[in-house]
Amino acid sequence: MPTILAENLSEKAITGSDGTHIGILHNITMDVENGQLENLIVDPRADGNENFATDDYGHYLIPVDRVTAVKDHVIVRR
């Protein structure tokens, strides 16, 4: 996978593999022990009808292993 700077991901749209708009990337979590990325923290779309875990602020927590592509938007398996 090519290198992508984190600043280029800020405010990127998150889209499901079926084309559904999920939300906008808010942040990314990382394991400080091993440096591996863990979750995309996503501001949900208005109706927020997804089956993802959420944090205390209502953001979706989408494991990075569900990311299938990063182009104009981030594509994730739903």
PDB file of all heavy atoms in Angstrom, residues 40-77:
ATOM      1  N   LEU A  40     -10.641   4.050  12.753  1.00  0.00           N
ATOM      2  CA  LEU A  40     -11.020   5.341  12.209  1.00  0.00           C
ATOM      3  C   LEU A  40     -12.114   5.871  13.125  1.00  0.00           C
ATOM      4  O   LEU A  40     -13.044   5.137  13.479  1.00  0.00           O
ATOM      5  CB  LEU A  40     -11.592   5.200  10.801  1.00  0.00           C
ATOM      6  CG  LEU A  40     -10.736   4.532   9.735  1.00  0.00           C
ATOM      7  CD1 LEU A  40     -11.501   4.493   8.418  1.00  0.00           C
ATOM      8  CD2 LEU A  40      -9.412   5.225   9.578  1.00  0.00           C
ATOM      9  N   ILE A  41     -12.004   7.106  13.539  1.00  0.00           N
ATOM     10  CA  ILE A  41     -13.061   7.743  14.325  1.00  0.00           C
ATOM     11  C   ILE A  41     -13.819   8.627  13.351  1.00  0.00           C
ATOM     12  O   ILE A  41     -13.249   9.554  12.767  1.00  0.00           O
ATOM     13  CB  ILE A  41     -12.477   8.555  15.489  1.00  0.00           C
ATOM     14  CG1 ILE A  41     -11.662   7.628  16.402  1.00  0.00           C
ATOM     15  CG2 ILE A  41     -13.596   9.252  16.264  1.00  0.00           C
ATOM     16  CD1 ILE A  41     -10.946   8.352  17.519  1.00  0.00           C
ATOM     17  N   VAL A  42     -15.095   8.326  13.160  1.00  0.00           N
ATOM     18  CA  VAL A  42     -15.880   8.924  12.084  1.00  0.00           C
ATOM     19  C   VAL A  42     -17.081   9.686  12.639  1.00  0.00           C
ATOM     20  O   VAL A  42     -17.854   9.143  13.431  1.00  0.00           O
ATOM     21  CB  VAL A  42     -16.357   7.820  11.099  1.00  0.00           C
ATOM     22  CG1 VAL A  42     -17.229   8.391  10.007  1.00  0.00           C
ATOM     23  CG2 VAL A  42     -15.158   7.066  10.527  1.00  0.00           C
ATOM     24  N   ASP A  43     -17.216  10.952  12.192  1.00  0.00           N
ATOM     25  CA  ASP A  43     -18.439  11.701  12.479  1.00  0.00           C
ATOM     26  C   ASP A  43     -19.526  11.102  11.605  1.00  0.00           C
ATOM     27  O   ASP A  43     -19.412  11.113  10.375  1.00  0.00           O
ATOM     28  CB  ASP A  43     -18.273  13.183  12.124  1.00  0.00           C
ATOM     29  CG  ASP A  43     -17.420  13.937  13.119  1.00  0.00           C
ATOM     30  OD1 ASP A  43     -17.469  13.595  14.312  1.00  0.00           O
ATOM     31  OD2 ASP A  43     -16.711  14.867  12.697  1.00  0.00           O
ATOM     32  N   PRO A  44     -20.573  10.539  12.219  1.00  0.00           N
ATOM     33  CA  PRO A  44     -21.596   9.866  11.415  1.00  0.00           C
ATOM     34  C   PRO A  44     -22.431  10.823  10.587  1.00  0.00           C
ATOM     35  O   PRO A  44     -22.546  11.998  10.906  1.00  0.00           O
ATOM     36  CB  PRO A  44     -22.468   9.167  12.457  1.00  0.00           C
ATOM     37  CG  PRO A  44     -22.236   9.897  13.720  1.00  0.00           C
ATOM     38  CD  PRO A  44     -20.862  10.497  13.641  1.00  0.00           C
ATOM     39  N   ARG A  45     -23.011  10.273   9.518  1.00  0.00           N
ATOM     40  CA  ARG A  45     -23.959  11.052   8.721  1.00  0.00           C
ATOM     41  C   ARG A  45     -25.171  11.352   9.595  1.00  0.00           C
ATOM     42  O   ARG A  45     -25.334  10.795  10.678  1.00  0.00           O
ATOM     43  CB  ARG A  45     -24.352  10.287   7.476  1.00  0.00           C
ATOM     44  CG  ARG A  45     -25.045   8.990   7.813  1.00  0.00           C
ATOM     45  CD  ARG A  45     -25.448   8.231   6.604  1.00  0.00           C
ATOM     46  NE  ARG A  45     -26.189   7.072   7.096  1.00  0.00           N
ATOM     47  CZ  ARG A  45     -26.423   6.010   6.415  1.00  0.00           C
ATOM     48  NH1 ARG A  45     -25.996   5.928   5.194  1.00  0.00           N
ATOM     49  NH2 ARG A  45     -27.086   5.016   6.932  1.00  0.00           N
ATOM     50  N   ALA A  46     -26.040  12.201   9.116  1.00  0.00           N
ATOM     51  CA  ALA A  46     -27.155  12.712   9.915  1.00  0.00           C
ATOM     52  C   ALA A  46     -28.038  11.614  10.509  1.00  0.00           C
ATOM     53  O   ALA A  46     -28.362  11.650  11.682  1.00  0.00           O
ATOM     54  CB  ALA A  46     -27.998  13.662   9.082  1.00  0.00           C
ATOM     55  N   ASP A  47     -28.425  10.594   9.719  1.00  0.00           N
ATOM     56  CA  ASP A  47     -29.341   9.594  10.269  1.00  0.00           C
ATOM     57  C   ASP A  47     -28.620   8.522  11.070  1.00  0.00           C
ATOM     58  O   ASP A  47     -29.233   7.829  11.853  1.00  0.00           O
ATOM     59  CB  ASP A  47     -30.227   8.976   9.186  1.00  0.00           C
ATOM     60  CG  ASP A  47     -29.444   8.233   8.121  1.00  0.00           C
ATOM     61  OD1 ASP A  47     -28.214   8.159   8.194  1.00  0.00           O
ATOM     62  OD2 ASP A  47     -30.090   7.733   7.186  1.00  0.00           O
ATOM     63  N   GLY A  48     -27.305   8.388  10.914  1.00  0.00           N
ATOM     64  CA  GLY A  48     -26.497   7.515  11.751  1.00  0.00           C
ATOM     65  C   GLY A  48     -27.042   6.117  11.974  1.00  0.00           C
ATOM     66  O   GLY A  48     -27.104   5.647  13.098  1.00  0.00           O
ATOM     67  N   ASN A  49     -27.434   5.436  10.920  1.00  0.00           N
ATOM     68  CA  ASN A  49     -28.033   4.114  11.045  1.00  0.00           C
ATOM     69  C   ASN A  49     -27.047   3.025  10.637  1.00  0.00           C
ATOM     70  O   ASN A  49     -27.334   2.209   9.780  1.00  0.00           O
ATOM     71  CB  ASN A  49     -29.309   4.054  10.200  1.00  0.00           C
ATOM     72  CG  ASN A  49     -30.131   2.831  10.503  1.00  0.00           C
ATOM     73  OD1 ASN A  49     -29.949   2.202  11.534  1.00  0.00           O
ATOM     74  ND2 ASN A  49     -31.026   2.492   9.604  1.00  0.00           N
ATOM     75  N   GLU A  50     -25.862   3.011  11.245  1.00  0.00           N
ATOM     76  CA  GLU A  50     -24.845   2.015  10.939  1.00  0.00           C
ATOM     77  C   GLU A  50     -24.673   1.077  12.115  1.00  0.00           C
ATOM     78  O   GLU A  50     -25.071   1.383  13.235  1.00  0.00           O
ATOM     79  CB  GLU A  50     -23.506   2.695  10.609  1.00  0.00           C
ATOM     80  CG  GLU A  50     -23.538   3.519   9.352  1.00  0.00           C
ATOM     81  CD  GLU A  50     -23.723   2.688   8.089  1.00  0.00           C
ATOM     82  OE1 GLU A  50     -23.282   1.531   8.061  1.00  0.00           O
ATOM     83  OE2 GLU A  50     -24.311   3.217   7.135  1.00  0.00           O
ATOM     84  N   ASN A  51     -24.027  -0.042  11.858  1.00  0.00           N
ATOM     85  CA  ASN A  51     -23.840  -1.057  12.887  1.00  0.00           C
ATOM     86  C   ASN A  51     -22.394  -1.096  13.373  1.00  0.00           C
ATOM     87  O   ASN A  51     -21.814  -2.154  13.494  1.00  0.00           O
ATOM     88  CB  ASN A  51     -24.256  -2.417  12.313  1.00  0.00           C
ATOM     89  CG  ASN A  51     -24.775  -3.339  13.372  1.00  0.00           C
ATOM     90  OD1 ASN A  51     -24.991  -2.940  14.503  1.00  0.00           O
ATOM     91  ND2 ASN A  51     -24.969  -4.587  13.008  1.00  0.00           N
ATOM     92  N   PHE A  52     -21.804   0.078  13.642  1.00  0.00           N
ATOM     93  CA  PHE A  52     -20.443   0.173  14.146  1.00  0.00           C
ATOM     94  C   PHE A  52     -20.475   0.525  15.629  1.00  0.00           C
ATOM     95  O   PHE A  52     -21.407   1.178  16.099  1.00  0.00           O
ATOM     96  CB  PHE A  52     -19.656   1.258  13.402  1.00  0.00           C
ATOM     97  CG  PHE A  52     -19.466   0.991  11.940  1.00  0.00           C
ATOM     98  CD1 PHE A  52     -20.053   1.810  10.997  1.00  0.00           C
ATOM     99  CD2 PHE A  52     -18.698  -0.080  11.503  1.00  0.00           C
ATOM    100  CE1 PHE A  52     -19.879   1.586   9.640  1.00  0.00           C
ATOM    101  CE2 PHE A  52     -18.523  -0.321  10.153  1.00  0.00           C
ATOM    102  CZ  PHE A  52     -19.111   0.510   9.222  1.00  0.00           C
ATOM    103  N   ALA A  53     -19.421   0.120  16.343  1.00  0.00           N
ATOM    104  CA  ALA A  53     -19.269   0.560  17.728  1.00  0.00           C
ATOM    105  C   ALA A  53     -19.129   2.080  17.726  1.00  0.00           C
ATOM    106  O   ALA A  53     -18.709   2.677  16.727  1.00  0.00           O
ATOM    107  CB  ALA A  53     -18.031  -0.087  18.337  1.00  0.00           C
ATOM    108  N   THR A  54     -19.486   2.715  18.838  1.00  0.00           N
ATOM    109  CA  THR A  54     -19.361   4.167  18.950  1.00  0.00           C
ATOM    110  C   THR A  54     -18.587   4.528  20.214  1.00  0.00           C
ATOM    111  O   THR A  54     -18.512   3.736  21.158  1.00  0.00           O
ATOM    112  CB  THR A  54     -20.739   4.860  18.997  1.00  0.00           C
ATOM    113  OG1 THR A  54     -21.482   4.323  20.093  1.00  0.00           O
ATOM    114  CG2 THR A  54     -21.505   4.657  17.704  1.00  0.00           C
ATOM    115  N   ASP A  55     -18.034   5.742  20.221  1.00  0.00           N
ATOM    116  CA  ASP A  55     -17.371   6.239  21.420  1.00  0.00           C
ATOM    117  C   ASP A  55     -18.373   7.053  22.237  1.00  0.00           C
ATOM    118  O   ASP A  55     -19.564   7.117  21.898  1.00  0.00           O
ATOM    119  CB  ASP A  55     -16.104   7.027  21.072  1.00  0.00           C
ATOM    120  CG  ASP A  55     -16.371   8.318  20.307  1.00  0.00           C
ATOM    121  OD1 ASP A  55     -17.548   8.737  20.180  1.00  0.00           O
ATOM    122  OD2 ASP A  55     -15.391   8.917  19.825  1.00  0.00           O
ATOM    123  N   ASP A  56     -17.907   7.689  23.299  1.00  0.00           N
ATOM    124  CA  ASP A  56     -18.787   8.464  24.180  1.00  0.00           C
ATOM    125  C   ASP A  56     -19.401   9.686  23.505  1.00  0.00           C
ATOM    126  O   ASP A  56     -20.346  10.276  24.025  1.00  0.00           O
ATOM    127  CB  ASP A  56     -18.009   8.926  25.416  1.00  0.00           C
ATOM    128  CG  ASP A  56     -17.599   7.763  26.313  1.00  0.00           C
ATOM    129  OD1 ASP A  56     -18.217   6.680  26.207  1.00  0.00           O
ATOM    130  OD2 ASP A  56     -16.652   7.939  27.106  1.00  0.00           O
ATOM    131  N   TYR A  57     -18.854  10.089  22.356  1.00  0.00           N
ATOM    132  CA  TYR A  57     -19.354  11.263  21.638  1.00  0.00           C
ATOM    133  C   TYR A  57     -20.234  10.898  20.451  1.00  0.00           C
ATOM    134  O   TYR A  57     -20.649  11.770  19.699  1.00  0.00           O
ATOM    135  CB  TYR A  57     -18.178  12.117  21.164  1.00  0.00           C
ATOM    136  CG  TYR A  57     -17.311  12.572  22.315  1.00  0.00           C
ATOM    137  CD1 TYR A  57     -16.121  11.916  22.590  1.00  0.00           C
ATOM    138  CD2 TYR A  57     -17.704  13.618  23.135  1.00  0.00           C
ATOM    139  CE1 TYR A  57     -15.330  12.315  23.659  1.00  0.00           C
ATOM    140  CE2 TYR A  57     -16.924  14.014  24.209  1.00  0.00           C
ATOM    141  CZ  TYR A  57     -15.739  13.363  24.465  1.00  0.00           C
ATOM    142  OH  TYR A  57     -14.958  13.745  25.528  1.00  0.00           O
ATOM    143  N   GLY A  58     -20.498   9.601  20.258  1.00  0.00           N
ATOM    144  CA  GLY A  58     -21.335   9.164  19.151  1.00  0.00           C
ATOM    145  C   GLY A  58     -20.597   8.956  17.847  1.00  0.00           C
ATOM    146  O   GLY A  58     -21.220   8.700  16.817  1.00  0.00           O
ATOM    147  N   HIS A  59     -19.263   9.078  17.863  1.00  0.00           N
ATOM    148  CA  HIS A  59     -18.469   8.802  16.660  1.00  0.00           C
ATOM    149  C   HIS A  59     -18.402   7.300  16.434  1.00  0.00           C
ATOM    150  O   HIS A  59     -18.316   6.525  17.385  1.00  0.00           O
ATOM    151  CB  HIS A  59     -17.028   9.308  16.822  1.00  0.00           C
ATOM    152  CG  HIS A  59     -16.906  10.769  16.994  1.00  0.00           C
ATOM    153  ND1 HIS A  59     -16.388  11.338  18.128  1.00  0.00           N
ATOM    154  CD2 HIS A  59     -17.221  11.786  16.168  1.00  0.00           C
ATOM    155  CE1 HIS A  59     -16.382  12.655  17.995  1.00  0.00           C
ATOM    156  NE2 HIS A  59     -16.903  12.950  16.814  1.00  0.00           N
ATOM    157  N   TYR A  60     -18.425   6.888  15.165  1.00  0.00           N
ATOM    158  CA  TYR A  60     -18.220   5.477  14.844  1.00  0.00           C
ATOM    159  C   TYR A  60     -16.758   5.125  15.044  1.00  0.00           C
ATOM    160  O   TYR A  60     -15.867   5.930  14.750  1.00  0.00           O
ATOM    161  CB  TYR A  60     -18.569   5.184  13.384  1.00  0.00           C
ATOM    162  CG  TYR A  60     -20.014   5.351  13.026  1.00  0.00           C
ATOM    163  CD1 TYR A  60     -20.367   5.922  11.814  1.00  0.00           C
ATOM    164  CD2 TYR A  60     -21.025   4.932  13.864  1.00  0.00           C
ATOM    165  CE1 TYR A  60     -21.690   6.081  11.455  1.00  0.00           C
ATOM    166  CE2 TYR A  60     -22.348   5.078  13.513  1.00  0.00           C
ATOM    167  CZ  TYR A  60     -22.680   5.653  12.316  1.00  0.00           C
ATOM    168  OH  TYR A  60     -23.991   5.810  11.965  1.00  0.00           O
ATOM    169  N   LEU A  61     -16.503   3.917  15.527  1.00  0.00           N
ATOM    170  CA  LEU A  61     -15.152   3.370  15.649  1.00  0.00           C
ATOM    171  C   LEU A  61     -15.051   2.241  14.628  1.00  0.00           C
ATOM    172  O   LEU A  61     -15.588   1.158  14.836  1.00  0.00           O
ATOM    173  CB  LEU A  61     -14.906   2.850  17.060  1.00  0.00           C
ATOM    174  CG  LEU A  61     -15.072   3.879  18.173  1.00  0.00           C
ATOM    175  CD1 LEU A  61     -14.927   3.227  19.537  1.00  0.00           C
ATOM    176  CD2 LEU A  61     -14.068   5.016  18.002  1.00  0.00           C
ATOM    177  N   ILE A  62     -14.389   2.517  13.521  1.00  0.00           N
ATOM    178  CA  ILE A  62     -14.294   1.542  12.433  1.00  0.00           C
ATOM    179  C   ILE A  62     -12.870   0.991  12.399  1.00  0.00           C
ATOM    180  O   ILE A  62     -11.921   1.753  12.180  1.00  0.00           O
ATOM    181  CB  ILE A  62     -14.651   2.185  11.078  1.00  0.00           C
ATOM    182  CG1 ILE A  62     -16.063   2.787  11.146  1.00  0.00           C
ATOM    183  CG2 ILE A  62     -14.519   1.164   9.954  1.00  0.00           C
ATOM    184  CD1 ILE A  62     -16.476   3.553   9.906  1.00  0.00           C
ATOM    185  N   PRO A  63     -12.702  -0.314  12.644  1.00  0.00           N
ATOM    186  CA  PRO A  63     -11.354  -0.895  12.621  1.00  0.00           C
ATOM    187  C   PRO A  63     -10.673  -0.653  11.281  1.00  0.00           C
ATOM    188  O   PRO A  63     -11.298  -0.778  10.222  1.00  0.00           O
ATOM    189  CB  PRO A  63     -11.607  -2.388  12.843  1.00  0.00           C
ATOM    190  CG  PRO A  63     -12.953  -2.464  13.489  1.00  0.00           C
ATOM    191  CD  PRO A  63     -13.735  -1.312  12.925  1.00  0.00           C
ATOM    192  N   VAL A  64      -9.387  -0.305  11.315  1.00  0.00           N
ATOM    193  CA  VAL A  64      -8.677   0.009  10.075  1.00  0.00           C
ATOM    194  C   VAL A  64      -8.569  -1.198   9.155  1.00  0.00           C
ATOM    195  O   VAL A  64      -8.403  -1.021   7.943  1.00  0.00           O
ATOM    196  CB  VAL A  64      -7.276   0.625  10.323  1.00  0.00           C
ATOM    197  CG1 VAL A  64      -7.400   1.959  11.008  1.00  0.00           C
ATOM    198  CG2 VAL A  64      -6.398  -0.309  11.094  1.00  0.00           C
ATOM    199  N   ASP A  65      -8.709  -2.409   9.683  1.00  0.00           N
ATOM    200  CA  ASP A  65      -8.644  -3.581   8.796  1.00  0.00           C
ATOM    201  C   ASP A  65      -9.867  -3.693   7.889  1.00  0.00           C
ATOM    202  O   ASP A  65      -9.904  -4.517   6.988  1.00  0.00           O
ATOM    203  CB  ASP A  65      -8.413  -4.870   9.573  1.00  0.00           C
ATOM    204  CG  ASP A  65      -9.543  -5.255  10.505  1.00  0.00           C
ATOM    205  OD1 ASP A  65     -10.546  -4.520  10.618  1.00  0.00           O
ATOM    206  OD2 ASP A  65      -9.414  -6.317  11.142  1.00  0.00           O
ATOM    207  N   ARG A  66     -10.854  -2.830   8.086  1.00  0.00           N
ATOM    208  CA  ARG A  66     -12.029  -2.806   7.201  1.00  0.00           C
ATOM    209  C   ARG A  66     -11.859  -1.831   6.038  1.00  0.00           C
ATOM    210  O   ARG A  66     -12.708  -1.751   5.161  1.00  0.00           O
ATOM    211  CB  ARG A  66     -13.277  -2.456   8.001  1.00  0.00           C
ATOM    212  CG  ARG A  66     -13.592  -3.576   9.011  1.00  0.00           C
ATOM    213  CD  ARG A  66     -14.773  -3.275   9.821  1.00  0.00           C
ATOM    214  NE  ARG A  66     -15.982  -3.646   9.095  1.00  0.00           N
ATOM    215  CZ  ARG A  66     -17.164  -3.727   9.657  1.00  0.00           C
ATOM    216  NH1 ARG A  66     -17.310  -3.448  10.943  1.00  0.00           N
ATOM    217  NH2 ARG A  66     -18.215  -4.056   8.948  1.00  0.00           N
ATOM    218  N   VAL A  67     -10.750  -1.079   6.042  1.00  0.00           N
ATOM    219  CA  VAL A  67     -10.468  -0.152   4.946  1.00  0.00           C
ATOM    220  C   VAL A  67     -10.037  -0.955   3.722  1.00  0.00           C
ATOM    221  O   VAL A  67      -9.120  -1.771   3.797  1.00  0.00           O
ATOM    222  CB  VAL A  67      -9.370   0.863   5.332  1.00  0.00           C
ATOM    223  CG1 VAL A  67      -8.973   1.721   4.136  1.00  0.00           C
ATOM    224  CG2 VAL A  67      -9.833   1.736   6.493  1.00  0.00           C
ATOM    225  N   THR A  68     -10.705  -0.724   2.601  1.00  0.00           N
ATOM    226  CA  THR A  68     -10.355  -1.440   1.372  1.00  0.00           C
ATOM    227  C   THR A  68      -9.682  -0.544   0.348  1.00  0.00           C
ATOM    228  O   THR A  68      -8.974  -1.044  -0.524  1.00  0.00           O
ATOM    229  CB  THR A  68     -11.599  -2.093   0.732  1.00  0.00           C
ATOM    230  OG1 THR A  68     -12.546  -1.075   0.409  1.00  0.00           O
ATOM    231  CG2 THR A  68     -12.226  -3.108   1.671  1.00  0.00           C
ATOM    232  N   ALA A  69      -9.883   0.778   0.443  1.00  0.00           N
ATOM    233  CA  ALA A  69      -9.261   1.705  -0.512  1.00  0.00           C
ATOM    234  C   ALA A  69      -9.264   3.113   0.067  1.00  0.00           C
ATOM    235  O   ALA A  69     -10.138   3.474   0.849  1.00  0.00           O
ATOM    236  CB  ALA A  69     -10.007   1.693  -1.841  1.00  0.00           C
ATOM    237  N   VAL A  70      -8.258   3.886  -0.336  1.00  0.00           N
ATOM    238  CA  VAL A  70      -8.197   5.299   0.024  1.00  0.00           C
ATOM    239  C   VAL A  70      -7.924   6.058  -1.266  1.00  0.00           C
ATOM    240  O   VAL A  70      -6.866   5.933  -1.859  1.00  0.00           O
ATOM    241  CB  VAL A  70      -7.093   5.585   1.056  1.00  0.00           C
ATOM    242  CG1 VAL A  70      -7.040   7.070   1.370  1.00  0.00           C
ATOM    243  CG2 VAL A  70      -7.297   4.761   2.319  1.00  0.00           C
ATOM    244  N   LYS A  71      -8.903   6.789  -1.714  1.00  0.00           N
ATOM    245  CA  LYS A  71      -8.783   7.595  -2.935  1.00  0.00           C
ATOM    246  C   LYS A  71      -9.381   8.964  -2.626  1.00  0.00           C
ATOM    247  O   LYS A  71      -8.917   9.613  -1.719  1.00  0.00           O
ATOM    248  CB  LYS A  71      -9.521   6.921  -4.085  1.00  0.00           C
ATOM    249  CG  LYS A  71      -9.065   5.499  -4.327  1.00  0.00           C
ATOM    250  CD  LYS A  71      -8.503   5.324  -5.672  1.00  0.00           C
ATOM    251  CE  LYS A  71      -8.189   3.834  -5.821  1.00  0.00           C
ATOM    252  NZ  LYS A  71      -7.089   3.529  -6.570  1.00  0.00           N
ATOM    253  N   ASP A  72     -10.412   9.354  -3.366  1.00  0.00           N
ATOM    254  CA  ASP A  72     -11.111  10.604  -3.056  1.00  0.00           C
ATOM    255  C   ASP A  72     -11.823  10.502  -1.721  1.00  0.00           C
ATOM    256  O   ASP A  72     -12.070  11.489  -1.062  1.00  0.00           O
ATOM    257  CB  ASP A  72     -12.128  10.950  -4.147  1.00  0.00           C
ATOM    258  CG  ASP A  72     -11.468  11.287  -5.464  1.00  0.00           C
ATOM    259  OD1 ASP A  72     -10.289  11.709  -5.436  1.00  0.00           O
ATOM    260  OD2 ASP A  72     -12.119  11.138  -6.503  1.00  0.00           O
ATOM    261  N   HIS A  73     -12.196   9.281  -1.343  1.00  0.00           N
ATOM    262  CA  HIS A  73     -12.780   9.010  -0.038  1.00  0.00           C
ATOM    263  C   HIS A  73     -12.247   7.671   0.436  1.00  0.00           C
ATOM    264  O   HIS A  73     -11.629   6.942  -0.312  1.00  0.00           O
ATOM    265  CB  HIS A  73     -14.300   9.060  -0.016  1.00  0.00           C
ATOM    266  CG  HIS A  73     -14.992   8.703  -1.279  1.00  0.00           C
ATOM    267  ND1 HIS A  73     -16.111   7.947  -1.326  1.00  0.00           N
ATOM    268  CD2 HIS A  73     -14.722   8.997  -2.573  1.00  0.00           C
ATOM    269  CE1 HIS A  73     -16.517   7.806  -2.571  1.00  0.00           C
ATOM    270  NE2 HIS A  73     -15.677   8.432  -3.327  1.00  0.00           N
ATOM    271  N   VAL A  74     -12.475   7.360   1.691  1.00  0.00           N
ATOM    272  CA  VAL A  74     -12.035   6.097   2.275  1.00  0.00           C
ATOM    273  C   VAL A  74     -13.171   5.091   2.118  1.00  0.00           C
ATOM    274  O   VAL A  74     -14.296   5.371   2.545  1.00  0.00           O
ATOM    275  CB  VAL A  74     -11.653   6.277   3.760  1.00  0.00           C
ATOM    276  CG1 VAL A  74     -11.215   4.962   4.369  1.00  0.00           C
ATOM    277  CG2 VAL A  74     -10.557   7.328   3.920  1.00  0.00           C
ATOM    278  N   ILE A  75     -12.873   3.955   1.535  1.00  0.00           N
ATOM    279  CA  ILE A  75     -13.887   2.896   1.357  1.00  0.00           C
ATOM    280  C   ILE A  75     -13.670   1.839   2.438  1.00  0.00           C
ATOM    281  O   ILE A  75     -12.553   1.369   2.647  1.00  0.00           O
ATOM    282  CB  ILE A  75     -13.739   2.224  -0.028  1.00  0.00           C
ATOM    283  CG1 ILE A  75     -13.706   3.257  -1.154  1.00  0.00           C
ATOM    284  CG2 ILE A  75     -14.843   1.187  -0.242  1.00  0.00           C
ATOM    285  CD1 ILE A  75     -14.961   4.039  -1.330  1.00  0.00           C
ATOM    286  N   VAL A  76     -14.755   1.474   3.133  1.00  0.00           N
ATOM    287  CA  VAL A  76     -14.680   0.454   4.181  1.00  0.00           C
ATOM    288  C   VAL A  76     -15.724  -0.634   3.944  1.00  0.00           C
ATOM    289  O   VAL A  76     -16.797  -0.375   3.395  1.00  0.00           O
ATOM    290  CB  VAL A  76     -14.879   1.066   5.598  1.00  0.00           C
ATOM    291  CG1 VAL A  76     -13.776   2.051   5.934  1.00  0.00           C
ATOM    292  CG2 VAL A  76     -16.229   1.717   5.755  1.00  0.00           C
ATOM    293  N   ARG A  77     -15.385  -1.857   4.357  1.00  0.00           N
ATOM    294  CA  ARG A  77     -16.367  -2.958   4.340  1.00  0.00           C
ATOM    295  C   ARG A  77     -17.383  -2.699   5.437  1.00  0.00           C
ATOM    296  O   ARG A  77     -17.034  -2.370   6.554  1.00  0.00           O
ATOM    297  CB  ARG A  77     -15.672  -4.299   4.601  1.00  0.00           C
ATOM    298  CG  ARG A  77     -14.891  -4.820   3.460  1.00  0.00           C
ATOM    299  CD  ARG A  77     -14.386  -6.242   3.703  1.00  0.00           C
ATOM    300  NE  ARG A  77     -13.946  -6.521   5.051  1.00  0.00           N
ATOM    301  CZ  ARG A  77     -12.720  -6.260   5.531  1.00  0.00           C
ATOM    302  NH1 ARG A  77     -11.819  -5.699   4.781  1.00  0.00           N
ATOM    303  NH2 ARG A  77     -12.409  -6.557   6.779  1.00  0.00           N
TER     304      ARG A  77
END
